[in-house]
Amino acid sequence: MYTRRTSSSSPSTTPQWKYDVFLSFRGDDTRKGFTNHLYETLRAQGIITFRDDRTISKGKAISGELIAAIEESRFALIVLSQNYASSTWCLDELVHILKFMEARETVLPIFYYVDPSHVRKQTGCFEKAFTQLEERFSLDDKTRVQEWRDALAKVADFSGWKAKDWYETLLIKDIIDVIWKRLRPTSFTSVENLVGLDSSMNLIDFLLGAGVDDVRFIGIWGMGGIGKTTIARVVRERISPEFEFSIFLENVSDNVQKGGLISQQREILSRISMKTIDIFDVHEGSTMIRRLLRHKKVLLILDDVTDSDHLDYLAGKQEWFGSGSRVLITTRNEHLLIEHEVERRFQVKRLNHDDALKLFSWKAFGKDHPEKNYIDLSSCVVSYADGLPLALKVLGSFLRGRHASAWNSALGKLRDLCNTVLGTLQISYDDLDDREKKIFLDIACFFNGEKEDRVIEILDSCGFCAGIGIDVLIEKSLLTNSYGTLWMHQLLQEMGREIVNRECLDEPGNRSRLWRHEEGKHVLSKTTGTDAVESITMDKTGPVVHADAKCFSRMKKLRLLNLANVNLSNDLEYLSDNLRSLEWDGYPSKYFPLHFNPENLLELNMCHSHIESFWTGVKLLYNLKIIKLSHSLNLVNTPDFRGLPNLEYLILEGCIRLYKVDPSLGMLERITQINLKDCKSLVHLPRSVYGLKSVKVLNLSGCSKLDKLPNELGNAECLEEIDVSGTAVRQLPSSIVQLKSLTVLNFRGCKGSSPKFWNLLSLFQLFLSLFQRFLIRSRVPTPLLLPSLSGLVSLKKLTLSDCNLLEVPNDLSCLSSLTYLDLSRNQFVSLPNGISLLSRLQFLNLEYCERLQELPEVPQRVIAVVNNCISLERIAGGSTEKFQWLRSRQCINCFKFAETHDFRSLVFTLLEQYDVVSLSLSISYTQ
């Protein structure tokens, strides 16, 4: 049964928290494992969580920012791990958590493979830590050590979880359930968000059908800004704990326009599987969604649907979902719901005057009624807003705290703007200073739905003080920040774009910002752009534009340029030195303009360009952080990097003629990612590049002429990922054992001797193979001889596909952190029994192991894929385990097993014990 809602008629006295959860943990113990999984799951469930990801210097005092985050958090989850007490930062954090939360009883400990009694008494692993603390601190600091002891003793007595008693996925699910149940009274459903929703929610409750186990689609439709998304959020807050998964896709239409339907399909799949899933077309995506969801009870909310394809490929039909699931759809177009046969539909209507006055008053006065001297003024404003919640919120925020004379002035503007919605919204825009207006217009025209960090970086490079400006826009209800992404309501976006249009009604080349494809085409092809133009973005999917080589010659103030499919009559003659972001997919010229010197350029993104080489000599571009020229097929060399000291990303993937990398790359101290994938003409890299201490990701995959990695690689102390798959590299240097931060190593398709992995304690993912995928095999290779795997204690993903293994090493059972194991396409006959000791294993791939005869008993939680194991005769375990594989279609084309007495006996057992309608849906084999 859904939990019944409470009345919204009386004000709430519950404080409003910035964060739902403060997550306290010892980074070295759990940051990349349990804590990260917990954090991502909290986020996926819409629980706003503070996690401090900074690397803390030894002995450094807890920051004021962190104390503020603790004070502003509703709950604290404390992951007490073995080395928690060795960090004074963690201990100080714990003291402050208890100071602010103990009385509220909102401290929730997780004993992560530690005994609560050891925490309470500081024995076991905690005893050693405190012995060192006692020695480290002077007599004056003894009280501080005792304060830490008292804090641990207190937290050990709180009700929490013992990790050793749970499977990790079930533990996290239970934590989420507890948080949700305790969080609900203080979350989104505050009084101001519930004004006027009582009658709406009564009907929505009826349409939802509490306690009914069918699958229901409910459509919520109405005009923009009317409150459809608010209702959907309130519904989610109230009923999401009743579902296995709760997925809220905001602004579907905008996100589909930017990243295609596939991006939204990936979002749904990642929320269910808790990992990124690659899909290549919408049909594959819809098939995977259906397979993942059909046995799960899901709450799926699709916000702002504008096209029937959104529903067809994201939600499909009732058959896609498990019993009891609910799909909510918000849209402006009721016909979409009718077309999709959504019978349960609800139209959101404008607020009546009384409710509109209450909502406005919450924003303008912080209570449900206006101040005595502002009653008439408030009524006048509410009348102009005409019951539109968004307009009421924006106007209320604008007028809050202002004198009555300012209200009268605003009312005059309302009359001048003829009482239109866009006019109403522009009142708050007019109150912004010049920089804030520029930020607002840039977001309205180009950055709606973009990550806040990137927007701030670009706009700061333009001199806009974007961090402060964005905060102002949020305060004035002109912008929202959802999990680091900036969102502007469509009405506000339309208002901003209309303001730009009014700069010049007849000639777009006299406007500051161009975003419509046709207007950009006009300006570039007719050469009508003037120095008024600051930014141009054109649709990447639009038709080809034929432009003149001098088309930018008068655009001296151009700072943002984002083009695609623009051809030139000759080589480009001019680009503004004022550019901050230059993105031109398919740039048609062989070179940059001769005198192009963009001193303030932040990012250079010119994939699929015709560029043959960069500028000659040293060009001083101190602000440049990103160079991305992937798939520029004519590029033969790189720039001299001595003038680019702040470069962070060098991405030249697929530059097949690139044969030389300038040695100065090895001088860069801030470079974090180097991607030279599929640079097939590259014979070697300067040795200094391998030893860059700042680089985190080095991708040399597909550099087929690259045959050696030098010992200098061991100096890359921050290196986390290295991919040398498909190269001629035959052996990894011995110095690789020095890479303590390495988490991903891809050696797939390298035909030399197997690499040595000992002491790679941080390695999370390892990929080995004698073949690259889709490589035609001309002969049977020598089996790969694996070294010892016993030292890879952090390894979570191991891929040994296509290694021609004749047997699986016994020390596989030592991989205590392993969750994903791919042994597909090998030659072994059996698996070691020790595989059952992999306590965290969740996925086992044995596809096309054509000599495999017997499968050992594997826990039910493990998804085991044994398709096309044509020699398989036996599956260990009882009928329940075997039924799981049959029912989930993971045993396809196992011909011998289908002919065994064991299988036939199982069929009769299944027919007796389970509600099996058709075994033809469960297993595929040829008779």
Side-chain angles (χ1 to χ4, degrees):
M1 294 286 288
Y2 301 143
T3 306
R4 301 303 298 177
R5 60 191 184 86
T6 56
S7 172
S8 62
S9 57
S10 58
S12 169
T13 57
T14 308
Q16 296 299 298
W17 307 96
K18 185 173 182 179
Y19 305 104
D20 298 324
V21 171
F22 181 94
L23 192 54
S24 175
F25 61 96
R26 180 70 165 106
D28 293 344
D29 285 356
T30 65
R31 175 185 285 115
K32 297 179 179 178
F34 171 77
T35 297
N36 186 62
H37 189 183
L38 174 60
Y39 175 73
E40 293 297 335
T41 309
L42 286 163
R43 285 184 65 249
Q45 290 296 321
I47 297 173
I48 302 172
T49 304
F50 180 91
R51 175 181 66 174
D52 187 14
D53 272 336
R54 292 171 297 180
T55 301
I56 307 304
S57 301
K58 185 174 182 180
K60 188 175 179 181
I62 187 171
S63 69
E65 177 189 355
L66 211 60
I67 294 175
I70 292 171
E71 293 181 31
E72 294 168 343
S73 296
R74 177 74 178 89
F75 294 94
L77 281 172
I78 304 173
V79 183
L80 294 159
S81 55
Q82 293 187 352
N83 294 304
Y84 188 90
S86 65
S87 166
T88 58
W89 182 281
C90 288
L91 293 171
D92 283 341
E93 198 172 78
L94 177 62
V95 169
H96 281 87
I97 288 171
L98 291 176
K99 177 181 177 182
F100 293 108
M101 298 190 190
E102 182 181 8
R104 300 202 312 262
E105 298 182 354
T106 54
V107 180
L108 303 172
I110 303 165
F111 301 97
Y112 192 74
Y113 296 96
V114 296
D115 193 310
S117 66
H118 292 170
V119 178
R120 183 182 300 108
K121 301 176 183 177
Q122 294 92 60
T123 56
C125 57
F126 284 74
E127 182 177 11
K128 180 180 178 181
F130 270 89
T131 299
Q132 294 174 348
L133 290 172
E134 295 282 3
E135 295 173 355
R136 178 177 162 191
F137 289 92
S138 64
L139 291 174
D140 293 338
D141 285 333
K142 289 293 185 181
T143 55
R144 188 180 178 194
V145 176
Q146 186 58 47
E147 190 176 28
W148 293 334
R149 289 187 181 276
D150 294 342
L152 287 171
K154 287 180 180 179
V155 78
D157 287 333
F158 291 150
S159 177
W161 295 267
K162 297 179 183 178
K164 67 182 182 65
D165 296 339
W166 297 76
Y167 289 123
E168 185 170 300
T169 52
L170 296 179
L171 170 60
I172 290 176
K173 184 179 184 302
D174 193 67
I175 292 170
I176 299 297
D177 289 344
V178 169
I179 292 291
W180 256 122
K181 289 175 182 176
R182 298 186 62 180
L183 186 66
R184 284 178 57 245
T186 61
S187 50
F188 181 80
T189 50
S190 59
V191 171
E192 64 182 74
N193 287 321
L194 294 176
V195 171
L197 293 188
D198 266 344
S199 58
S200 297
M201 292 308 299
N202 286 333
L203 183 52
I204 293 290
D205 283 343
F206 172 75
L207 296 176
L208 286 167
V212 180
D213 285 336
D214 59 357
V215 176
R216 294 191 174 189
F217 281 51
I218 296 100
I220 303 174
W221 67 279
M223 66 173 292
I226 200 67
K228 303 182 296 295
T229 302
T230 298
I231 291 175
R233 285 175 176 158
V234 171
V235 170
R236 186 195 184 197
E237 291 280 351
R238 289 174 168 170
I239 71 174
S240 59
E242 311 301 328
F243 297 84
E244 293 179 62
F245 295 95
S246 172
I247 305 169
F248 194 124
L249 294 187
E250 292 190 50
N251 301 294
V252 169
S253 179
D254 284 348
N255 288 324
V256 169
Q257 188 174 9
K258 292 174 181 176
L261 267 169
I262 286 179
S263 68
Q264 297 298 280
Q265 291 177 325
R266 286 184 182 134
E267 183 71 16
I268 293 175
L269 292 170
S270 66
R271 296 287 185 93
I272 300 297
S273 63
M274 299 310 300
K275 61 184 180 183
T276 301
I277 295 180
D278 288 328
I279 50 178
F280 302 100
D281 61 62
V282 292
H283 301 288
E284 179 189 14
S286 60
T287 298
M288 294 185 71
I289 291 172
R290 183 169 65 250
R291 286 178 177 173
L292 273 179
L293 299 184
R294 62 183 174 182
H295 298 302
K296 294 179 173 64
K297 184 179 179 182
V298 177
L299 174 62
L300 173 62
I301 300 176
L302 304 178
D303 174 51
D304 191 23
V305 171
T306 59
D307 192 284
S308 58
D309 280 353
H310 301 169
L311 299 179
D312 292 340
Y313 291 107
L314 297 177
K317 300 181 179 180
Q318 279 85 350
E319 292 78 9
W320 285 28
F321 303 87
S323 177
S325 293
R326 297 292 183 264
V327 179
L328 268 69
I329 304 153
T330 75
T331 181
R332 299 184 184 190
N333 187 354
E334 186 189 17
H335 185 72
L336 285 178
L337 303 174
I338 298 171
E339 184 180 357
H340 203 70
E341 299 181 353
V342 178
E343 297 178 355
R344 298 175 175 88
R345 301 189 300 274
F346 172 72
Q347 181 184 11
V348 185
K349 298 183 178 180
R350 290 175 295 178
L351 296 176
N352 61 41
H353 186 273
D354 289 345
D355 286 334
L357 183 59
K358 285 183 181 179
L359 180 57
F360 173 79
S361 297
W362 277 111
K363 284 294 183 180
F365 306 103
K367 54 187 177 181
D368 67 353
H369 59 277
E371 298 286 355
K372 183 177 180 180
N373 295 336
Y374 290 82
I375 293 176
D376 292 339
L377 290 170
S378 297
S379 294
C380 191
V381 174
V382 168
S383 296
Y384 275 110
D386 199 20
L388 188 67
L390 178 62
L392 291 163
K393 291 178 180 179
V394 171
L395 280 172
S397 297
F398 168 75
L399 293 169
R400 186 163 189 164
R402 297 186 184 275
H403 193 268
S405 59
W407 282 58
N408 284 313
S409 175
L411 290 176
K413 292 182 181 180
L414 284 172
R415 293 188 183 94
D416 293 338
L417 292 170
C418 303
N419 193 28
T420 63
V421 173
L422 293 180
T424 301
L425 297 176
Q426 187 169 341
I427 301 302
S428 288
Y429 170 83
D430 290 339
D431 192 47
L432 301 174
D433 65 28
D434 288 343
R435 283 181 177 174
E436 291 162 0
K437 287 178 179 178
K438 289 180 179 180
I439 294 170
F440 176 86
L441 294 178
D442 272 354
I443 294 174
C445 295
F446 308 116
F447 298 119
N448 195 8
E450 297 287 339
K451 290 294 183 181
E452 181 185 32
D453 291 345
R454 179 174 182 270
V455 176
I456 288 177
E457 192 168 40
I458 292 176
L459 298 187
D460 273 348
S461 73
C462 298
F464 290 173
C465 300
I468 297 174
I470 286 173
D471 285 344
V472 171
L473 297 183
I474 292 173
E475 290 171 0
K476 294 181 179 295
S477 300
L478 292 170
L479 196 64
T480 60
N481 183 328
S482 178
Y483 304 113
T485 300
L486 297 178
W487 293 108
M488 182 178 290
H489 192 279
Q490 185 165 339
L491 286 176
L492 291 165
Q493 184 176 36
E494 290 174 0
M495 179 197 74
R497 292 183 170 186
E498 180 58 28
I499 290 170
V500 174
N501 287 336
R502 291 202 298 262
E503 293 173 354
C504 183
L505 297 177
D506 55 350
E507 175 50 60
N510 290 322
R511 298 176 194 155
S512 61
R513 296 160 179 85
L514 302 175
W515 63 92
R516 294 186 185 91
H517 190 84
E518 287 303 314
E519 292 179 348
K521 176 182 177 180
H522 169 83
V523 169
L524 297 182
S525 61
K526 304 295 183 182
T527 317
T528 62
T530 67
D531 63 358
V533 180
E534 298 180 16
S535 308
I536 304 175
T537 291
M538 294 180 66
D539 187 357
K540 287 182 171 58
T541 62
V544 174
V545 174
H546 298 281
D548 189 273
K550 298 180 180 180
C551 59
F552 296 104
S553 59
R554 292 196 294 163
M555 302 184 202
K556 309 295 185 182
K557 297 180 181 179
L558 192 65
R559 53 188 174 84
L560 307 177
L561 182 61
N562 187 339
L563 302 180
N565 299 323
V566 176
N567 292 335
L568 298 172
S569 56
N570 294 296
D571 282 341
L572 188 66
E573 295 186 7
Y574 174 84
L575 273 175
S576 170
D577 289 344
N578 198 46
L579 279 168
R580 268 66 170 183
S581 175
L582 173 54
E583 183 172 350
W584 191 333
D585 193 86
Y587 176 74
S589 296
K590 296 179 180 180
Y591 309 101
F592 292 99
L594 182 61
H595 299 293
F596 181 49
N597 187 33
E599 296 179 352
N600 296 307
L601 192 65
L602 179 70
E603 53 185 35
L604 176 63
N605 187 340
M606 303 177 78
C607 296
H608 304 97
S609 76
H610 292 246
I611 287 282
E612 293 183 359
S613 64
F614 285 83
W615 47 82
T616 57
V618 178
K619 194 177 287 290
L620 301 179
L621 305 178
Y622 293 120
N623 294 309
L624 189 60
K625 293 187 177 182
I626 300 171
I627 292 179
K628 185 175 182 181
L629 271 75
S630 296
H631 307 290
S632 295
L633 303 184
N634 298 321
L635 186 68
V636 295
N637 55 25
T638 65
D640 189 320
F641 294 98
R642 286 176 293 176
L644 317 176
N646 295 308
L647 191 68
E648 296 178 4
Y649 297 89
L650 178 64
I651 304 173
L652 301 176
E653 177 180 338
C655 296
I656 58 176
R657 289 187 176 85
L658 181 72
Y659 70 90
K660 182 181 179 182
V661 173
D662 195 276
S664 59
L665 178 60
M667 301 171 59
L668 300 181
E669 297 181 353
R670 298 188 178 184
I671 189 87
T672 62
Q673 181 172 329
I674 300 175
N675 184 349
L676 299 172
K677 180 181 179 181
D678 293 329
C679 293
K680 299 181 183 299
S681 298
L682 190 65
V683 177
H684 71 276
L685 280 177
R687 283 179 171 267
S688 58
V689 173
Y690 292 103
L692 283 167
K693 293 186 177 182
S694 60
V695 72
K696 294 183 179 181
V697 178
L698 179 60
N699 190 344
L700 302 174
S701 172
C703 296
S704 53
K705 293 184 179 181
L706 197 67
D707 60 3
K708 187 176 182 180
L709 296 177
N711 260 330
E712 282 84 352
L713 185 65
N715 297 327
E717 57 189 34
C718 293
L719 193 62
E720 298 175 359
E721 301 180 20
I722 182 169
D723 189 344
V724 291
S725 60
T727 66
V729 173
R730 294 181 174 273
Q731 189 170 356
L732 296 177
S734 59
S735 63
I736 197 171
V737 300
Q738 298 170 215
L739 303 178
K740 303 303 182 184
S741 298
L742 193 65
T743 60
V744 178
L745 171 61
N746 194 339
F747 205 65
R748 182 182 282 142
C750 301
K751 298 184 175 61
S753 59
S754 58
K756 303 296 187 290
F757 313 122
W758 61 83
N759 292 333
L760 291 178
L761 301 181
S762 299
L763 198 64
F764 270 27
Q765 301 183 43
L766 173 62
F767 303 88
L768 298 177
S769 177
L770 294 175
F771 298 104
Q772 282 286 81
R773 189 57 55 90
F774 309 125
L775 193 67
I776 298 176
R777 309 180 190 189
S778 58
R779 60 186 177 85
V780 178
T782 303
L784 184 67
L785 299 177
L786 289 176
S788 172
L789 302 171
S790 58
L792 305 179
V793 295
S794 298
L795 193 67
K796 289 193 171 186
K797 184 173 184 177
L798 175 59
T799 297
L800 298 174
S801 176
D802 268 324
C803 287
N804 203 30
L805 293 176
L806 299 178
E807 62 178 21
V808 180
N810 287 322
D811 60 356
L812 198 68
S813 60
C814 298
L815 304 179
S816 56
S817 299
L818 199 66
T819 62
Y820 179 101
L821 177 58
D822 186 350
L823 297 172
S824 61
R825 302 176 186 274
N826 281 296
Q827 302 299 314
F828 48 80
V829 175
S830 61
L831 292 171
N833 290 327
I835 201 168
S836 62
L837 300 177
L838 298 175
S839 60
R840 298 186 181 183
L841 189 65
Q842 298 176 8
F843 182 83
L844 173 62
N845 189 359
L846 298 169
E847 286 187 292
Y848 291 98
C849 291
E850 296 179 349
R851 297 181 61 195
L852 181 64
Q853 297 177 8
E854 181 175 1
L855 188 66
E857 187 167 351
V858 178
Q860 284 191 42
R861 70 174 185 278
V862 178
I863 299 175
V865 180
V866 292
N867 297 338
N868 299 292
C869 294
I870 59 177
S871 300
L872 184 66
E873 297 180 1
R874 295 176 298 280
I875 297 178
S879 59
T880 300
E881 289 80 4
K882 297 171 185 175
F883 173 61
Q884 294 298 327
W885 282 309
L886 297 183
R887 187 176 64 177
S888 59
R889 294 180 63 86
Q890 307 299 324
C891 228
I892 296 174
N893 294 336
C894 296
F895 304 119
K896 283 197 174 182
F897 179 64
E899 296 170 356
T900 61
H901 173 74
D902 190 22
F903 171 76
R904 299 184 187 280
S905 299
L906 177 61
V907 170
F908 289 108
T909 303
L910 293 176
L911 290 172
E912 292 176 359
Q913 297 184 7
Y914 299 97
D915 183 18
V916 181
V917 177
S918 173
L919 280 178
S920 66
L921 297 177
S922 304
I923 187 165
S924 172
Y925 67 95
T926 303
Q927 286 280 30

